């Protein structure tokens, strides 16, 4: 019996590694489109133009696009251009490749971001796919252009799902290992006011949610991939503080974060934007989270991070 084929475009990062492992365990053959030195199961592409890689999509069960320049950088003109271009061009060329297939992928999942919604403060309702308030800043504009390119693709025989993914928590990548290193040195205090909302998702539930969407052919359109319990930044930092119990506590006012972001060549928006998002469509479709509270998620992940730090 032939294995179903999954194509992962830009799949060498944190999320791609977890998805590849998860779906291989489910019996899929996973092929990664990548720009780096090739290994088994990897095919060359540049994310901009058609090439021999396009033939690999023929007859595949699932195409997932994770390609895009990291937003962990300074938002000057060159980086802004690269952030937008890397997302829209990879999406456009994948649409061209799917359109020319004789037997196109049954499903195309394209990355988006929960940052598409506006800065949501205080007790304002959480943003859902139906009742979400779309923002107007640079990050929100990136997400809108990304999804627009996805929706413009002429692929009538392929189901499409946009993954509006929140901050994914894992032990081997993403934001959490960075936060734990800071927390050990006393930076487990609220960042800025600490009142900004954090929408998050355990990496295991990220993979399970993608599996859920793959298995249900009636589901299409945009889905928020986040846990159902967003929490204030101060509460998240408090969870880390109680775990690590540093000897001292260093304040993190916004002005200090701005200096740190400049020195680290990143932007404070990544931690100061208030993201309050609810996975309404997933819940309505019957998805159940393994880690619905952040306390459960960090209790699972922090021992893994601590073990890795000890061994290194």
């Amino acid at each position: 019996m032939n294995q179903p084929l999954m194509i992962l475009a830009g799949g060498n990062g944190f999320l791609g590694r977890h998805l590849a492992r998860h779906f291989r365990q489910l019996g899929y053959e996973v092929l990664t489109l990548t720009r780096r030195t090739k290994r088994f199961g990897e095919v060359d592409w540049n994310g901009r133009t058609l090439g021999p890689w396009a033939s690999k999509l023929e007859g595949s069960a699932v195409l997932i696009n994770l390609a895009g320049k990291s937003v962990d950088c300074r938002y000057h003109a060159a980086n802004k251009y690269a952030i937008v271009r890397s997302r829209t061009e990879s999406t456009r060329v994948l649409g061209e490749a799917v359109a020319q297939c004789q037997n196109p992928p049954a499903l195309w999942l394209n990355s988006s971001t929960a940052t598409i919604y506006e800065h949501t403060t205080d007790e304002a309702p959480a943003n859902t796919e139906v009742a979400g308030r779309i923002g107007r800043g640079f990050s929100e504009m990136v997400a809108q252009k990304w999804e627009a390119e996805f929706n413009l693709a002429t692929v009538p025989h392929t189901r499409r799902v946009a993954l509006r993914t929140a901050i994914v928590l894992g032990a081997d990548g993403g934001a959490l290992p960075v936060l734990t290193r800071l927390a050990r040195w006393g930076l487990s205090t609220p960042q800025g006011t600490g009142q900004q909302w954090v929408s998050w998702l355990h990496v295991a539930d990220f993979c399970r949610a993608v599996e859920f969407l793959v298995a249900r052919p009636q589901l299409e359109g945009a889905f928020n991939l986040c846990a159902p319990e967003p929490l204030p930044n101060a509460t998240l930092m408090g969870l880390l503080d109680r775990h690590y119990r540093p000897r001292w506590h260093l304040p993190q006012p916004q002005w200090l974060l701005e200096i740190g972001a400049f020195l680290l060549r990143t932007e404070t928006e990544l931690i100061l934007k208030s993201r309050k998002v609810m996975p309404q469509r997933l819940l309505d479709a019957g998805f159940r989270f393994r880690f619905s509270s952040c306390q459960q998620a960090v209790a699972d992940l922090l021992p893994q991070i601590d073990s890795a730090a000890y061994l290194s």
Side-chain angles (χ1 to χ4, degrees), residues 4 55-56 60 62 76 84 87 90 95 105 116 150 187 276 306:
S55 65
K56 304 297 183 181
S60 60
V62 186
H76 54 64
V84 174
R87 286 159 174 73
S90 62
I116 196 171
F150 183 46
L187 291 170
K276 192 178 186 184
D306 295 343

Side-chain angles (χ1 to χ4, degrees), residues 14-15 17-18 21 165-180 191 198-207 225-227 229-233 235-237 239-240 270-271 291-302 304-305:
F14 165 54
L15 296 182
R17 294 195 309 270
H18 279 269
R21 185 182 310 122
T165 308
I167 297 169
V168 180
L169 303 180
D172 59 340
L176 190 59
V178 176
L179 290 175
T180 60
Q191 296 173 312
V198 179
S199 289
W200 59 276
L201 183 66
H202 191 295
V203 67
D205 279 335
F206 171 78
C207 293
L225 266 59
C226 57
E229 297 181 20
L231 76 168
N233 172 271
T235 304
L236 170 61
M237 300 308 291
L239 293 174
L240 301 180
L270 300 178
I271 55 175
F291 300 94
S292 58
S293 79
C294 201
Q295 184 173 0
Q296 292 175 310
V298 298
D300 176 67
L301 294 169
L302 293 183
Q304 299 177 49
I305 293 173

Side-chain angles (χ1 to χ4, degrees), residues 18-277:
H18 279 269
L19 281 176
R21 185 182 310 122
H22 183 84
F23 277 88
R24 285 187 178 116
Q25 290 173 348
L26 294 175
Y28 281 74
E29 177 186 356
V30 178
L31 193 65
T32 301
L33 306 182
T34 178
R35 303 180 187 189
R36 72 179 196 185
T37 303
K38 307 304 168 289
R39 299 181 300 185
F40 179 77
E42 297 180 343
V43 174
D44 181 59
W45 85 320
N46 62 14
R48 298 189 309 276
T49 56
L50 291 171
W53 62 267
S55 65
K56 304 297 183 181
L57 274 60
E58 198 73 48
S60 60
V62 186
L63 166 64
I64 303 181
N65 180 24
L66 303 172
K69 174 179 169 57
S70 172
V71 296
D72 187 11
C73 62
R74 296 297 289 178
Y75 289 173
H76 54 64
N79 278 342
K80 283 184 175 181
Y81 178 70
I83 287 170
V84 174
R85 187 185 67 178
S86 62
R87 286 159 174 73
T88 56
E89 287 190 347
S90 62
T91 302
R92 174 190 52 78
V93 77
L94 285 170
E96 293 174 359
V98 172
Q100 71 178 16
C101 285
Q102 295 297 312
N103 185 15
L107 169 63
W108 177 10
L109 300 111
N110 208 70
S111 287
S112 181
T113 173
T115 301
I116 196 171
Y117 301 110
E118 68 179 9
H119 182 88
T120 306
T121 58
D122 302 324
E123 298 305 315
N127 293 291
T128 67
E129 298 90 343
V130 175
R133 299 167 296 281
I134 304 299
R136 297 183 178 181
F138 169 69
S139 297
E140 295 92 332
M141 177 272 294
V142 171
Q144 292 173 67
K145 288 188 174 182
W146 204 357
E147 290 192 11
E149 194 69 52
F150 183 46
N151 293 326
L152 283 171
T154 306
V155 290
H157 304 295
T158 297
R159 178 167 61 103
R160 281 178 278 190
V161 175
L163 306 175
R164 293 179 177 174
T165 308
I167 297 169
V168 180
L169 303 180
D172 59 340
L176 190 59
V178 176
L179 290 175
T180 60
R181 288 195 294 272
L182 296 174
R184 291 188 185 100
W185 289 98
L187 291 170
S188 54
T189 51
Q191 296 173 312
T193 67
Q195 297 307 302
Q196 67 271 27
W197 290 94
V198 179
S199 289
W200 59 276
L201 183 66
H202 191 295
V203 67
D205 279 335
F206 171 78
C207 293
R208 292 179 61 247
V210 172
E211 178 189 349
F212 183 87
L213 292 167
V214 168
R216 286 160 178 78
Q218 75 276 17
L219 300 180
E220 58 185 354
F223 279 81
N224 293 338
L225 266 59
C226 57
E229 297 181 20
L231 76 168
N233 172 271
T235 304
L236 170 61
M237 300 308 291
L239 293 174
L240 301 180
D241 186 71
R242 286 192 291 276
H243 181 83
Y244 289 107
R245 300 185 180 276
R247 293 182 180 181
W248 51 80
H249 292 87
L250 303 174
Q252 300 186 77
Q254 183 170 344
W255 65 266
L256 186 60
L257 294 173
E258 294 284 358
I259 294 173
F262 178 79
L263 295 174
L264 295 171
R265 313 307 301 159
T266 187
E267 292 286 341
T268 56
E269 182 196 39
L270 300 178
I271 55 175
L272 294 181
K273 180 178 178 180
S274 188
R275 301 168 176 87
K276 192 178 186 184
V277 184

